[in-house]
Amino acid sequence: MKYFSYSLLFLLFLNCRNEKSSSSSIEESTLAKPSAKQIAFADWEVGAFIHFGLNVFSGQEHGDGKVSPSEFDPSELDAEQWVLAAKALGAKYACLTVRHEGGFCLWPSKTTDYTIANSPYKGGKGDIAQEFVDACRKHDMKIGFYHTSSHDANAGLSWYDGYIGWADNRDSLMNIAFQRPGLKEKYKQVQMGQMRELLTNYGPIDFMWSDHWGAPGSEEIWNPITDLVAELQPNMVFMGPETWVPGNESGLVVYPMWNAVNTVDGTNYTRPSASSKDKNVENDYGLLETEVRTGHPEGKFWRVRECTTHWAFHEGGWFWHPEVTLPRSLSEHVDLYYRTVGLGANTIINLPPDNRGLIPDTIVSAAKKFGNEIKRRFSNPIAELKQIKTGETVELSWSKPQKINTVVLMENIANGQRAVKYSLEAFVNDSWVPLKPMNHFPIAKPPYNPNPGYETIGHKKIDRIETVETNKIRFKSLESVEGVPEIRKMQVFYNAPY
């Protein structure tokens, strides 16, 4: 067993040998640790993203802020149907795009006229944010809002008569916009006002997805927004300072992966900085956050990884588009779970309502099949360790030998993430034999790992192993940070290939 000093931690990534150092007690640990709300968020594991708004009627994906609110008129909108579909998926939280990048508000905001109040929906008296919140509370679903303060085409670009595209095109226009006298401050006040409305008028909100932290001028917006969030809803998990994306929208997370990160300016206001092996990936369907960040065991801040997954669950973009929004196969959906939740991240799966205001039956059916399959696979372990165990070796045994091919491990991340490398063994014919990892993700390309082995654990690691018949297995810590890992849970299963 090896313990590593902080001065040599970077050598882990170069496969160099470190000198032994004495283990540190939990009390002396300087590892980054998650807050209680970050631990709870990680335990939710699966979320549902509800992308709905003016884009559904205009056919746009990102919204140019020019489409008239008069086009927004869902005839059968049912927020309860959305939440029930999310529950069938197995989601513990649901996140609605109350205001996407075009700037159209699904509540009657007093900060702008570009809202539901100027649409035909319910004669201008509707409030879909409230309908969504009510449905979530009725069905015990954690409530999430999507609102991106750094991208609001209507507030920032309403002066521009030309084409408003995406990525570099929009960023260039916003740079020009912020040079106009008074516009940047006015824009900022709109964003602050909308955030105050959302976090004041709807009671406790559990999660806020806030997109595009690297946009032009965003540092002057996100810092005060972050402070406002902490003031108004201190128990809410805020994407940015408390969670982060993996650099793609295809449901892939880097492995090995550390939740601890450093940031570009050394504060908790900004996005994670790169380590020596990190890189950006090619743009994934208009994604702006293409930075793949491994994290670092000595990182200062804890960020739960959350994988956005529209391409992984269905075809056709984030918003519903006729004849295009079709689900993928169940096997692809199960693979998504293993390569996100199974590598220590959350996954938030898109369930886009159509122009009626209902999630299409094909997506609802696929969501239900996914939820049922995950329950079938992981609800009834052959054996389970339920109490925290600390030590270089942790064993789990059961009465009669049975076939197993899946091992689930969870670290007690409340005291930090420690496991760097480990092994799994089974007791067969009176001796311990190594268990060969069989993890394989066909869609993973570098820098994502198609064949994860036994390295980091974090919140959860699901290892598919070569089938063996046994009644005892053991986890052995081979390398760790600041003492031995604390194992919160260990489970074994036998599941058919998917």
Side-chain angles (χ1 to χ4, degrees):
M1 169 86 188
K2 299 175 185 176
Y3 307 120
F4 291 88
S5 67
Y6 281 133
S7 62
L8 296 177
L9 278 171
F10 72 95
L11 295 179
L12 294 173
F13 303 99
L14 301 177
N15 295 317
C16 293
R17 184 175 181 178
N18 291 12
E19 297 179 358
K20 290 186 178 180
S21 63
S22 60
S23 63
S24 302
S25 67
I26 292 172
E27 291 76 12
E28 296 171 338
S29 172
T30 58
L31 293 177
K33 299 176 181 64
S35 64
K37 64 180 178 180
Q38 286 177 307
I39 296 172
F41 179 77
D43 283 343
W44 299 345
E45 295 188 343
V46 176
F49 228 150
I50 312 297
H51 274 74
F52 187 68
L54 197 49
N55 289 354
V56 171
F57 299 87
S58 69
Q60 297 179 2
E61 268 289 288
H62 302 288
D64 61 11
K66 297 180 180 181
V67 179
S68 172
S70 63
E71 294 193 22
F72 183 82
D73 192 17
S75 57
E76 302 176 50
L77 189 144
D78 186 352
E80 197 166 347
Q81 187 246 12
W82 305 348
V83 173
L84 290 174
K87 288 189 78 73
L89 180 78
K92 298 296 189 294
Y93 63 108
C95 184
L96 172 65
T97 55
V98 291
R99 207 224 67 210
H100 205 253
E101 297 145 347
F104 182 73
C105 299
L106 293 183
W107 78 100
S109 175
K110 292 181 172 60
T111 65
T112 176
D113 293 331
Y114 204 52
T115 81
I116 195 173
N118 289 308
S119 79
Y121 181 67
K122 293 190 174 180
K125 303 297 183 183
D127 186 340
I128 294 175
Q130 187 67 65
E131 293 181 51
F132 174 71
V133 165
D134 291 344
C136 286
R137 292 197 175 117
K138 179 178 179 179
H139 294 286
D140 195 28
M141 179 69 65
K142 300 295 183 182
I143 302 164
F145 285 159
Y146 172 111
H147 180 280
T148 176
S149 296
S150 66
H151 275 67
D152 183 340
N154 183 262
L157 300 175
S158 58
W159 55 272
Y160 182 67
D161 293 330
Y163 169 73
I164 298 174
W166 189 234
D168 291 344
N169 171 268
R170 189 172 301 211
D171 285 353
S172 297
L173 290 172
M174 287 300 293
N175 277 322
I176 296 170
F178 285 155
Q179 295 172 23
R180 296 168 70 91
L183 181 57
K184 179 180 281 191
E185 182 60 27
K186 181 180 178 182
Y187 180 96
K188 173 184 169 183
Q189 292 307 316
V190 169
Q191 308 314 312
M192 295 284 285
Q194 290 182 4
M195 189 65 73
R196 186 174 290 277
E197 289 176 346
L198 291 169
L199 299 186
T200 302
N201 298 342
Y202 298 96
I205 304 301
D206 300 294
F207 175 60
M208 176 72 74
W209 181 283
S210 49
D211 232 344
H212 313 316
W213 282 65
S218 60
E219 69 282 353
E220 297 178 40
I221 296 169
W222 285 125
N223 291 15
I225 287 285
T226 299
D227 291 339
L228 182 66
V229 166
E231 172 195 337
L232 298 178
Q233 297 257 5
N235 296 320
M236 184 184 78
V237 176
F238 189 37
M239 187 271 181
E242 293 164 328
T243 75
W244 200 249
V245 292
N248 67 90
E249 294 183 344
S250 301
L252 291 164
V253 63
V254 69
Y255 187 87
M257 185 267 287
W258 295 91
N259 289 282
V261 301
N262 294 308
T263 60
V264 294
D265 70 351
T267 75
N268 203 31
Y269 287 114
T270 55
R271 63 190 187 276
S273 57
S275 65
S276 60
K277 282 194 171 183
D278 287 340
K279 61 180 69 175
N280 288 12
V281 293
E282 291 185 8
N283 191 290
D284 180 0
Y285 193 73
L287 181 69
L288 300 185
E289 286 80 10
T290 56
E291 300 169 338
V292 179
R293 297 294 179 254
T294 305
H296 200 285
E298 65 176 350
K300 184 178 179 181
F301 304 104
W302 189 279
R303 302 270 173 94
V304 182
R305 295 302 198 289
E306 185 184 29
C307 296
T308 51
T309 54
H310 74 98
W311 277 127
F313 200 80
H314 67 80
E315 309 276 359
W318 283 110
F319 288 89
W320 173 84
H321 300 287
E323 311 301 327
V324 179
T325 305
L326 300 171
R328 294 183 180 272
S329 68
L330 179 59
S331 63
E332 290 174 289
H333 295 164
V334 174
D335 193 71
L336 163 64
Y337 183 84
Y338 278 81
R339 68 178 188 260
T340 54
V341 175
L343 295 181
N346 283 31
T347 184
I348 183 164
I349 297 171
N350 195 40
L351 304 177
D354 59 24
N355 56 5
R356 300 171 300 166
L358 298 173
I359 299 172
D361 291 343
T362 53
I363 301 295
V364 172
S365 177
K368 185 175 182 180
K369 288 178 181 178
F370 170 84
N372 288 341
E373 180 63 13
I374 298 306
K375 286 180 183 177
R376 186 189 70 77
R377 285 175 173 268
F378 294 107
S379 292
N380 298 295
I382 293 169
E384 180 175 15
L385 177 71
K386 296 182 179 180
Q387 58 187 25
I388 296 170
K389 294 287 186 180
T390 302
E392 294 185 9
T393 302
V394 178
E395 293 187 7
L396 176 63
S397 61
W398 52 101
S399 57
K400 296 180 180 179
Q402 295 188 50
K403 288 183 178 181
I404 65 168
N405 64 2
T406 306
V407 178
V408 177
L409 295 169
M410 298 178 71
E411 276 191 84
N412 180 35
I413 57 174
N415 287 325
Q417 186 178 349
R418 297 171 182 261
V420 175
K421 187 177 181 180
Y422 63 94
S423 67
L424 293 172
E425 298 175 334
F427 197 68
V428 180
N429 296 327
D430 297 324
S431 64
W432 289 102
V433 298
L435 292 173
K436 180 181 177 181
M438 300 295 287
N439 304 310
H440 179 59
F441 303 118
I443 77 162
K445 309 297 181 187
Y448 302 101
N449 190 343
N451 300 294
Y454 298 147
E455 295 180 82
T456 53
I457 299 172
H459 176 260
K460 178 174 281 189
K461 176 72 183 306
I462 301 175
D463 280 313
R464 287 170 286 169
I465 58 171
E466 198 167 48
T467 300
V468 64
E469 187 167 336
T470 184
N471 67 339
K472 187 189 301 185
I473 67 166
R474 70 182 180 188
F475 158 89
K476 292 183 71 175
S477 177
L478 304 179
E479 297 176 5
S480 64
V481 179
E482 282 203 8
V484 295
E486 298 179 36
I487 301 303
R488 171 185 170 188
K489 183 176 286 188
M490 186 187 317
Q491 298 172 311
V492 293
F493 300 87
Y494 183 75
N495 284 318
Y498 55 80

